[in-house]
Amino acid sequence: MEFNNVPTIVTGGASGLGEGAARALAAAGCRVAILDLQADQGEQVARDIGGIFIHCDVSSPDSAEAALSEAREAHGLCGIAVNCAGVAPAGKILGRKGTMPLADFSSVIQVNLIGTFNMLRLAAADMAQREPNADGERGVVVNTASVAAYEGQIGQSAYSASKGGVVSLTLQAARELAREGIRVNTIAPGIFMTPMMAGMPDEVQESLAATLPFPKRLGKPEEFGMMADQMVRNPVLNGEVVRLDSALRMAPK
C-alpha cells in the first residue's frame, strides 16, 4: 500500500510499541493520528512527527467512535490502523489470597481483545469507503498480540487469553474483510524495551535479555515500527501473525 499522505491511526501511540509504529509510519509519509489516554506524552509525540493527538479509550464504543470521527475530520478516511493499546497486569488464577477476581480478568479482555476489535471494526468501516488501488486494496490493519498468546507464563492468564483472542481473530478478519480490499495482520512481540520495562532494575533487564537466543538484547520500539511498516507495505502479506521475538520461547516463569 502507498504511504504518502494516507490517513493513519495508531492506538497506544503515545509510548512504547505504539510510539515506534507511529514514528515509523509518519517517517514513511503517513498522516498519523495518535489515539491514547496519555495526553501529555501523546501530544509530544504528535508534535515530533507532525501528527495529531486524540484522547481515546479503545474499550469504549462512544470514545472510539468520537476519536475516529475527529481523525477523519482532520485527515480523511482511515487507510491504515495499528492497534497497540493494551494492558498487562499479572495475577494468578488461584493465588495465596484466593481466586483471581473475575473483574480483573474481564478488564484485561475488555481493553486488549474487545478494544482491538472495537478499533478494527470502526477503522474497517472507514477503509471500505476509500477508493481502491490497482490491486483493489483500500486499507490495512495491524494488530498487536504477544508471544504470551502461545507460551503464557504463570500469572498471565488474562493477558495470554486476551492476546490469544487477537491471534485467532487475525485470519478470520482477513478473510471476512477481503471482499472490501482490507488486509489484516498481527505482530506478536517478545520482550521489548517499553516504558514499563525501562523502569525495571538493570539486573532484571539483563536477566530477561539473557533468555533470548539472538540477539541477546531487548527489542526496540523502532524495530516493532519496522515490522508494522512492512506489514503495510507488502501487498500479499495478509491474515498472518508474525512473532517478533529473537527466537524466544517463554518458560513457565
Side-chain angles (χ1 to χ4, degrees), residues 51-131:
I52 59 172
F53 170 79
I54 302 172
H55 186 273
C56 179
D57 175 358
V58 299
S59 67
S60 163
D62 291 342
S63 179
E65 288 172 13
L68 260 293
S69 177
E70 187 174 340
R72 187 184 309 116
E73 184 175 345
H75 290 163
L77 291 165
C78 177
I80 299 168
V82 183
N83 291 312
C84 296
V87 294
K92 292 184 178 180
I93 299 168
L94 181 59
R96 293 180 180 178
K97 296 182 179 180
T99 59
M100 174 191 291
L102 191 57
D104 291 356
F105 186 92
S106 179
S107 66
V108 177
I109 299 296
Q110 188 68 34
V111 175
N112 293 356
L113 179 55
I114 296 177
T116 294
F117 179 78
N118 190 23
M119 302 310 299
L120 166 68
R121 72 186 181 96
L122 295 174
D126 259 27
M127 294 172 184
Q129 300 176 62
R130 290 172 51 83
E131 287 298 317

Side-chain angles (χ1 to χ4, degrees), residues 8 22-23 25-27 30-35 42-54 74-75:
T8 299
R23 291 184 181 279
L25 294 174
C30 297
R31 303 174 70 188
V32 178
I34 292 172
L35 278 55
E43 289 170 354
Q44 181 59 60
V45 175
R47 284 193 293 270
D48 289 348
I49 66 175
I52 59 172
F53 170 79
I54 302 172
H75 290 163

Side-chain angles (χ1 to χ4, degrees), residues 150-174:
Y150 305 96
E151 299 116 33
Q153 295 186 298
I154 293 170
Q156 287 188 320
S157 59
Y159 184 69
S160 296
S162 69
K163 294 303 187 178
V166 174
V167 167
S168 296
L169 178 63
T170 305
L171 180 58
Q172 187 282 327

